[in-house]
Amino acid sequence: MHTHTDSTACDDLAGAARILSAAQHLFAEKGFAAVSMHEIAQHAGVSKSNVFHHFRSKDELYLAVLGAACTSHREQLVPLLSGDEPFGVRLQRIMHADLEFMFAEPERAQLVLREITGTKPDDAVQPAPALLRDNAAALVAQMRIAQQNGEIRAEIDPAAVALLFLAANKFYFLTRNLIRHFPDVDFADDHGRYVEKIADLILHGVLPQEGVPK
Amino acid sequence: MHTHTDSTACDDLAGAARILSAAQHLFAEKGFAAVSMHEIAQHAGVSKSNVFHHFRSKDELYLAVLGAACTSHREQLVPLLSGDEPFGVRLQRIMHADLEFMFAEPERAQLVLREITGTKPDDAVQPAPALLRDNAAALVAQMRIAQQNGEIRAEIDPAAVALLFLAANKFYFLTRNLIRHFPDVDFADDHGRYVEKIADLILHGVLPQEGVPK
DNA sequence: GTCTATAATCAGATAGAC
DNA sequence: GTCTATCTGATTATAGAC
């Protein structure tokens, strides 16, 4: 009566979806090499052979998981970039949306970032690096437009702004479990406060403005 | 005639040092789980059993490698922090030194950063997290002093500046092999240019200074 | 699609000779 | 300190029944 199989237990997912979900969870937490197919099968509530039935190899399963993570990340930044608010407001909105997106699906974000930060010299056309490249390019393009509109200083390198923005957000996400315990940090659990403080720094810099406006 | 053993081949190192070197290389490149003791033994030019003779387990070997990496990192930042140059110059000097240090021993830096960015909620007292904690604390303390001297704005959170600084440098290092191929980026192989651009951003912000000095 | 059973290999780790 | 040989269990993957 159902479309096909009814699931045997646990989640409302069935078959391959259950396996993908378990694999995403484990790969994100422990990394590719530290996870076994046995472990994935257990978490998915199926037999190990069933995992091999749906995915021909461990690599294929990992690529399926990573591909899904990249796909869900791919178009998230672009529609947020434009807008007619002042640059400062737009920057805060983009930072906040990027954070919300990562914290909403931390496992997928972790997978993508692990691929990006552990990349060796040669593998430049993998899905995760390509994702970063595209998002960074869109970000830089937007910075350039803002610069043409006189919203940011003419001497600035748009790529440097994009790097600073991405670095701050990704580093904040990656070290979230560490800086929570740092006595000096009061924004580890309050993304809004974090965005306000970092955006203020990027916008106005740290120097007192009494100096020469140049 | 020698102090003790003379090495059989390859490097000028002998025994445990050869093993440590090979292990550092492999762990940094592929991560703990993806490296086997067999592989380490091969790269070190010794038998697998010999590795187990010097290090009781794979975990112990990894901790030895990681510990060495953390020790060499530990005190590098602190002596650079103070100085009587203007804040802007000091910031550039510290950023540059931190980068030089990471690029001089990229394997050790990679190991430490992998531990920091892959940390799970609970393990807060490991060597690498403790290292980040100490370095960040020293950085924040220095920012506070600069703030008391009126070198940076009073409204600023010193921890936010420290996060921005660390994030920019570490992200730049971690993605060095990727951003090298980005068409918008002209500072991927020129640390000096990178430091200049990022330091300028952190110091002066992106906004045109025609606005209110407030 | 799902399972049990099993193959073939490789992992970490140990024993004991030299 | 270094080696060869070995143990034990885990790993990826396959065969074939249901």
Side-chain angles (χ1 to χ4, degrees):
Chain A
M1 301 307 174
H2 301 76
T3 47
H4 31 42
T5 65
D6 25 21
S7 83
T8 50
C10 214
D11 273 322
D12 53 343
L13 300 165
R18 293 268 299 277
I19 295 167
L20 275 170
S21 170
Q24 173 181 309
H25 184 74
L26 289 164
F27 283 141
E29 191 186 9
K30 316 209 284 180
F32 175 79
V35 176
S36 75
M37 296 296 257
H38 173 70
E39 205 175 354
I40 293 170
Q42 274 190 320
H43 275 73
V46 298
S47 75
K48 192 172 49 167
S49 297
N50 196 358
V51 178
F52 279 99
H53 171 73
H54 287 284
F55 304 93
R56 271 178 295 193
S57 69
K58 187 183 175 183
D59 286 79
E60 186 175 299
L61 174 54
Y62 180 72
L63 280 179
V65 170
L66 182 64
C70 285
T71 300
S72 92
H73 257 74
R74 179 150 291 280
E75 298 298 346
Q76 67 94 1
L77 205 57
V78 178
L80 292 164
L81 287 177
S82 47
D84 45 8
E85 311 109 309
F87 182 76
V89 177
R90 240 182 309 154
L91 179 69
Q92 284 208 29
R93 181 168 50 78
I94 297 170
M95 284 188 68
H96 201 83
D98 185 49
L99 279 184
E100 284 292 308
F101 188 77
M102 288 193 290
F103 280 94
E105 297 199 291
E107 290 175 0
R108 297 189 158 192
Q110 185 82 40
L111 279 164
V112 173
L113 287 174
R114 207 199 299 274
E115 287 294 315
I116 287 171
T117 58
T119 300
K120 289 189 284 282
D122 46 333
D123 46 17
V125 210
Q126 298 301 108
L131 176 66
L132 177 69
R133 183 197 203 95
D134 291 357
N135 278 353
L139 214 48
V140 171
Q142 200 58 27
M143 296 294 163
R144 251 193 263 277
I145 293 174
Q147 198 170 38
Q148 281 159 7
N149 294 342
E151 291 185 295
I152 71 179
R153 282 188 288 140
E155 317 90 74
I156 282 182
D157 178 358
V161 185
L163 176 96
L164 196 57
F165 161 85
L166 281 175
N169 258 20
K170 305 310 181 191
F171 191 78
Y172 175 68
F173 173 77
L174 284 172
T175 61
R176 63 196 184 281
N177 291 323
L178 277 181
I179 62 178
R180 210 192 309 283
H181 307 300
F182 286 17
D184 297 315
V185 174
D186 69 355
F187 48 74
D189 285 306
D190 186 340
H191 306 173
R193 190 182 291 169
Y194 161 81
V195 168
E196 268 178 44
K197 289 181 172 179
I198 298 295
D200 174 63
L201 282 182
I202 296 181
L203 290 172
H204 301 101
V206 300
L207 295 186
Q209 305 234 339
E210 60 195 356
V212 277
K214 178 186 184 179
Chain B
M1 303 308 173
H2 301 75
T3 47
H4 31 44
T5 66
D6 25 21
S7 84
T8 50
C10 214
D11 274 321
D12 53 344
L13 298 166
R18 292 268 299 277
I19 296 167
L20 275 170
S21 170
Q24 172 182 309
H25 185 73
L26 289 165
F27 282 142
E29 191 186 10
K30 315 209 285 180
F32 175 79
V35 176
S36 75
M37 295 296 259
H38 173 71
E39 206 175 354
I40 293 170
Q42 274 190 321
H43 274 74
V46 299
S47 73
K48 189 168 61 161
S49 298
N50 197 357
V51 179
F52 279 98
H53 170 74
H54 287 287
F55 304 93
R56 271 178 295 194
S57 69
K58 186 183 175 184
D59 287 81
E60 187 175 300
L61 173 54
Y62 180 72
L63 281 179
V65 170
L66 182 64
C70 285
T71 300
S72 92
H73 257 74
R74 177 151 293 277
E75 299 298 346
Q76 66 96 0
L77 205 57
V78 177
L80 292 165
L81 287 177
S82 46
D84 44 9
E85 312 109 309
F87 182 76
V89 177
R90 240 182 308 155
L91 179 69
Q92 285 207 30
R93 181 168 49 78
I94 297 171
M95 283 187 68
H96 202 83
D98 185 49
L99 279 185
E100 285 292 309
F101 190 76
M102 287 193 291
F103 279 94
E105 299 199 290
E107 291 175 359
R108 297 189 160 195
Q110 185 83 40
L111 278 163
V112 172
L113 287 175
R114 206 198 299 273
E115 286 295 314
I116 287 171
T117 57
T119 300
K120 290 190 282 283
D122 46 333
D123 47 17
V125 210
Q126 298 301 108
L131 176 66
L132 177 68
R133 183 199 203 95
D134 291 357
N135 278 353
L139 214 49
V140 171
Q142 201 57 27
M143 296 296 163
R144 252 193 264 277
I145 293 174
Q147 198 169 38
Q148 281 158 9
N149 294 343
E151 291 184 295
I152 70 179
R153 283 188 289 140
E155 317 89 74
I156 282 182
D157 178 358
V161 185
L163 176 97
L164 196 55
F165 162 85
L166 282 175
N169 258 19
K170 304 311 180 189
F171 191 79
Y172 175 67
F173 173 77
L174 284 172
T175 61
R176 64 197 182 281
N177 290 323
L178 277 181
I179 62 179
R180 209 190 311 281
H181 306 299
F182 286 17
D184 298 315
V185 174
D186 68 357
F187 48 75
D189 284 307
D190 185 340
H191 306 172
R193 190 182 291 171
Y194 161 81
V195 168
E196 268 178 44
K197 288 181 172 179
I198 297 295
D200 175 63
L201 282 182
I202 295 180
L203 289 172
H204 301 100
V206 299
L207 294 186
Q209 305 235 340
E210 57 195 0
V212 277
K214 179 184 183 180

